[in-house]
Every structure is written in structure tokens, then in C-alpha cells.
Amino acid sequence: MVAPEAADEGSCSAVNARVLVPWQSVSDALGDLGDLGDLGDLGDLGGGSLTVEVFTGDAPGPEDLGDVVFFTVPYDRPFSYEPIPRLSGVRVVQTLTAGYDRLVALLRSGVTLCTARGLHDSSTAEHALGLILAAQRELPRWVRAQDESRWEHAHTRSLAGCRVPIVGYGSIGSALDARLRACEAETVRVARRARPDEQVFGVAELDGLLPSADIVVLTAPLSAETRGLLDARRLALLPDGSLVVNVGRGPVLDTSAILAETASGRLRAALDVTDPEPLPPGHPLWHSPGTIITPHVAGGAAAFYPKAMEFIVQQVRSFAAGQPLRNVVAEPMSGE
């Protein structure tokens, strides 16, 4: 950040600072933040003003970023993360993703990191449910038959009556839980730690839950603990014909292990995230039997954007007024 010029000893000079937001609608809603007077408890701004500017992430950020104090990472744009190493005075980095594993290595110490936890719940849960139904009712098969004008009559699996562990039970898992139960599935909640009062199992109990699963859904974030969580040993615990769904992070599922299981026809997979990602042309996952792949699009449905716009406006206003922010990551660690 641009350092305030020297003033009378013991006083703090007024400076101007910038807030970067990803959409013009957010900038319009925020208006002139300078009207907020002394900017709450941001003492070293000394009564200066905040200017809101739009950075869409469609191109690299401007050269001069030293006075940016609040940066919102644009969602799913080619240059979303490009400015971060150059934000020398940034106070808050607000991501629009629930996970933040890509961010921590780019942040300097002392920066407050906030996530978009809760904003993608509906979109991701819908997509996960869609993947499950597509796999259980073999929708890709019928689409291919339609392309060939071929009437191919057959009966399929169902979702009703299936036992479905949701691994990484948080806000997205909760939203999926409600949708699966509405489809008459039996859900099993699994989180990092057991929460008996909420009927949530700990991940340490996962080995005992997998042998009775029909479908297992991964909604877990990526961390040192979750990387390779569903590996060859754990996949081997699943019954024949089980479906593995991943809408969390690609490396939570061992790619080589799920490839071996789907190639043999023993297990099926429905993946919105992969490892590597993007999945390169020619990768065997593309054509592995019983596998459905979507290109990491679960969270970006229309339901996300109105929530995200309102959330950014609230966060920036809270920042400018010196009020607590939502979804602050307590101690972001590399790879978490």
C-alpha cells in the first residue's frame, strides 16, 4: 500500500486506497465508499477514502496495485490469481470459491483470507445430484442412443433406497444431504471429526462405512489430510457396482486407483473434478468405462451469482466500517 506521507508526530495522514471487485454490478451497489468517513478502525488510513474499481480477471491486472487494500478474486477467469503476488499493501483477499488451496502459496503473511463458504451450496449440490441420477439411470447411454435414432429399451439402477456416504460433510454436504433424502436415499454424514449430536461420523470411521455404500460422494476440500483420501485400499472396500462421485477437489480421489477400478468394470465414477485438471486430451479417464466427466462446473450455476454479488457488497462494507468479516480462514496453510 502507498505509505502515508509524513504528518505531525503522533498523527496519521489521510491516504486513498482501492478495493477491487469482479463485477460492475457490485461496484454500482457499493458506490463511493469514501462517504464512510474515517473508515472504521482502519487507523493507518487516517480518514482517507476507498475507491471501488472493477477487475474482471479476463486480462492481467493493472501495473500499479500498491494501494489495493481489498481484493476479490474473480470467479473462474483466466487471470483471477495474477495480481495477488503484486498486492504489496493488501489487507483482505476474498475468494469466490469455498476452497482456497490455490491461494495460500500466493499470500504474504498478515493478509486476511476469506472464502465463499455457503455461496456454492445449491449449485454444487444440484450438480452432484445430477451426476448421481445420470449415472444411476444411465442417461449418457440414452443420449448416445438418441444421437443414433436408436430405441434401446432397458431397465436401470435407481437412487431411491441407496446408501450414500457424503465425505466432507459441511455446508455443501448438508445441501446435498437434503436433496438425496428427498429422493429416498439413505445418507451417511462423514466429516473430519465426528459430531455425534448431528449424526456425523469422523473420517477415521470411513473404512467401516464403505463396505455398505452404494454411492460415495466426495465434497471434501483439499488438504494434507484429504489428499488421496479415497485411494486403492479404500476403493477396494466398496461393493461391486458402486458409484464414486467427486465434486470436491480432484486429488482427494486417487486417479490411478479409480482408473483401475473403472477399467475393470467393478466400480463406476461421476467426476466434476479430476487430477490432473484440466484433464488433458488423451487421458484414459475420458474413455474409462462407466465414467461421467464434467469440467469443474458444479459451483458456477446461475444460483451462485446473486448470492456472490450480495456477499461481496456486505464484505466490503464491513471492511470499510472496521466490522468483522465472514468466512475468515483462521490459519491458512499451504496445501490446505
Side-chain angles (χ1 to χ4, degrees):
M1 194 176 87
V2 176
E5 296 179 2
D8 294 337
E9 188 174 353
S11 68
C12 191
S13 299
V15 296
N16 296 323
R18 285 187 289 166
V19 171
L20 298 187
V21 298
W23 301 303
Q24 186 63 47
S25 58
V26 174
S27 178
D28 293 343
L30 286 167
D32 183 6
L33 287 174
D35 291 344
L36 295 176
D38 65 0
L39 304 176
D41 68 354
L42 300 178
D44 65 333
L45 292 183
S49 62
L50 284 178
T51 300
V52 180
E53 294 184 6
V54 176
F55 169 68
T56 64
D58 292 319
E63 291 185 11
D64 181 13
L65 294 170
D67 60 349
V68 173
V69 292
F70 189 109
F71 177 70
T72 308
V73 182
Y75 182 67
D76 197 21
R77 308 311 302 160
F79 294 93
S80 294
Y81 298 91
E82 184 274 334
I84 295 176
R86 302 189 286 118
L87 298 172
S88 59
V90 72
R91 308 290 190 81
V92 176
V93 171
Q94 172 69 62
T95 178
L96 291 179
T97 56
Y100 54 90
D101 46 282
R102 290 185 62 183
L103 276 169
V104 291
L106 302 175
L107 296 178
R108 59 177 177 80
S109 62
V111 176
T112 298
L113 174 61
C114 301
T115 72
R117 185 179 188 273
L119 300 187
H120 296 275
D121 296 357
S122 296
S123 297
T124 305
E126 282 181 356
H127 196 82
L129 179 60
L131 287 173
I132 292 169
L133 290 171
Q136 293 296 95
R137 302 307 300 264
E138 299 186 30
L139 297 188
R141 171 183 179 177
W142 308 129
V143 170
R144 287 191 289 269
Q146 181 181 353
D147 288 343
E148 299 171 5
S149 303
R150 176 167 42 87
W151 189 272
E152 184 179 273
H153 188 78
H155 295 164
T156 68
R157 296 177 174 86
S158 182
L159 172 56
C162 286
R163 182 174 170 86
V164 188
I166 302 172
V167 182
Y169 187 83
S171 61
I172 291 173
S174 177
L176 178 59
D177 188 8
R179 288 160 173 78
L180 289 172
R181 288 173 181 264
C183 292
E184 302 178 32
E186 176 192 356
T187 59
V188 182
R189 305 165 178 175
V190 184
R192 183 180 182 184
R193 296 185 181 87
R195 304 196 296 269
D197 56 325
E198 302 176 46
Q199 297 182 312
V200 176
F201 293 89
V203 74
E205 302 170 86
L206 184 58
D207 287 7
L209 300 173
L210 293 176
S212 62
D214 300 293
I215 302 165
V216 58
V217 184
L218 299 173
T219 60
L222 181 61
S223 71
E225 293 175 324
T226 63
R227 185 179 292 275
L229 180 68
L230 215 56
D231 57 8
R233 183 186 66 80
R234 285 197 166 115
L235 288 174
L237 298 175
L238 288 167
D240 292 354
S242 296
L243 174 66
V244 177
V245 180
N246 192 1
V247 292
R249 285 292 185 265
V252 176
L253 173 64
D254 185 299
T255 299
S256 297
I258 193 63
L259 265 172
E261 292 283 13
T262 54
S264 71
R266 199 184 79 80
L267 298 181
R268 299 170 296 132
L271 312 173
D272 184 57
V273 291
T274 61
D275 181 26
E277 189 176 303
L279 196 64
H283 194 284
L285 260 182
W286 284 117
H287 303 291
S288 192
T291 300
I292 299 173
I293 295 173
T294 56
H296 202 155
V297 293
F304 160 71
Y305 289 94
K307 296 177 183 178
M309 292 174 189
E310 181 180 356
F311 179 74
I312 299 168
V313 170
Q314 292 174 347
Q315 287 285 81
V316 173
R317 285 178 174 164
S318 294
F319 170 78
Q323 297 172 350
L325 300 172
R326 293 168 56 191
N327 294 355
V328 174
V329 178
E331 294 181 7
M333 299 292 289
S334 180
E336 291 289 304

